[in-house]
Amino acid sequence: MIQTPPTFPDWHGTTILAVRKDGRTVIAGDGQVSMGATIVKGAARKVRTLAGGKVLAGFAGATADAFTLIERLEAKLEQYPDQLARACVDLAKDWRTDRYLRRLEAMLLVADKDAIFTVTGVGDVLEPEYGVAAVGSGGNYALAAARALIDNTDMDAEAVARRAMAIAADICVYTNGNLTVEILGGGRA
């Protein structure tokens, strides 16, 4: 059987984590981008603020695809100000049904002061039960660590996010410790 080479390289290397605790919302993302077994960039910035600092977004997947989705999300947030859930659902609907958007390969974590949503290209808009969500290569490691820390320590949301990301970086070869951390109302750390 002849196998056709993939049309794009085997890119890995994103871990994005969102944490809500005690009225603070944090999204942290590592900086590593890998192609196969090679690290091609160690300081990528995969976390952004949107809607005048009221919304945070982090992405995993193809960068150009993620930027396209973030631009669409910003347009939805302008259309539905202060209605993050509605903007995310509308984006997911467009993403699933639009011929161009449906080919995009990325996932988004989006949060405001009240909620966190994971938005996918298959139409999912998922709100976590425990105040933490994660996507990307090391997402499951960061998620497990954050869930263990969030209720069992006195750490605030930022400290939980930073520690969970450090644990993920220690376990996942596609995750590094070069973090971008955005905090709602607190700016970049």
Side-chain angles (χ1 to χ4, degrees):
M1 171 187 259
I2 299 173
Q3 288 190 330
T4 342
T7 57
F8 56 91
D10 189 18
W11 293 91
H12 293 283
T14 300
T15 301
I16 305 294
L17 174 67
V19 177
R20 279 189 60 245
K21 184 177 181 182
D22 299 329
R24 291 189 77 193
T25 303
V26 175
I27 294 186
D30 80 312
Q32 184 166 308
V33 177
S34 304
M35 186 170 68
T38 304
I39 298 169
V40 293
K41 187 170 184 174
R45 191 168 181 277
K46 304 171 222 168
V47 179
R48 305 274 187 267
T49 57
L50 310 173
K54 294 180 184 177
V55 174
L56 303 176
F59 64 85
T63 304
D65 293 356
F67 284 158
T68 299
L69 293 167
I70 286 175
E71 287 172 4
R72 295 282 181 124
L73 178 60
E74 284 184 299
K76 298 293 181 188
L77 290 167
E78 288 175 12
Q79 186 177 358
Y80 306 115
D82 300 320
Q83 297 180 59
L84 181 60
R86 184 171 182 184
C88 288
V89 168
D90 215 38
L91 173 66
K93 184 174 69 175
D94 289 353
W95 192 354
R96 182 165 170 89
T97 58
D98 182 273
R99 179 177 234 141
Y100 167 72
L101 292 179
R102 135 175 96 211
R103 296 172 196 254
L104 300 181
E105 296 182 5
M107 293 180 74
L108 299 178
L109 270 186
V110 183
D112 65 8
K113 63 182 178 57
D114 299 315
I116 298 169
F117 297 102
T118 303
V119 186
T120 73
V122 294
D124 294 324
V125 178
L126 305 170
E127 186 173 11
E129 294 178 348
Y130 300 102
V132 295
V135 296
S137 300
N140 287 336
Y141 305 114
L143 178 65
R147 284 191 55 188
L149 293 169
I150 198 160
D151 291 327
N152 298 313
T153 67
D154 293 333
M155 299 170 125
D156 66 7
E158 181 182 359
V160 167
R162 287 184 182 278
R163 183 67 187 124
M165 290 294 287
I167 290 168
D170 286 345
I171 298 169
C172 178
V173 297
Y174 298 114
T175 303
N176 71 14
N178 188 353
L179 300 181
T180 300
V181 178
E182 293 286 349
I183 305 164
L184 275 181
R188 197 164 126 203

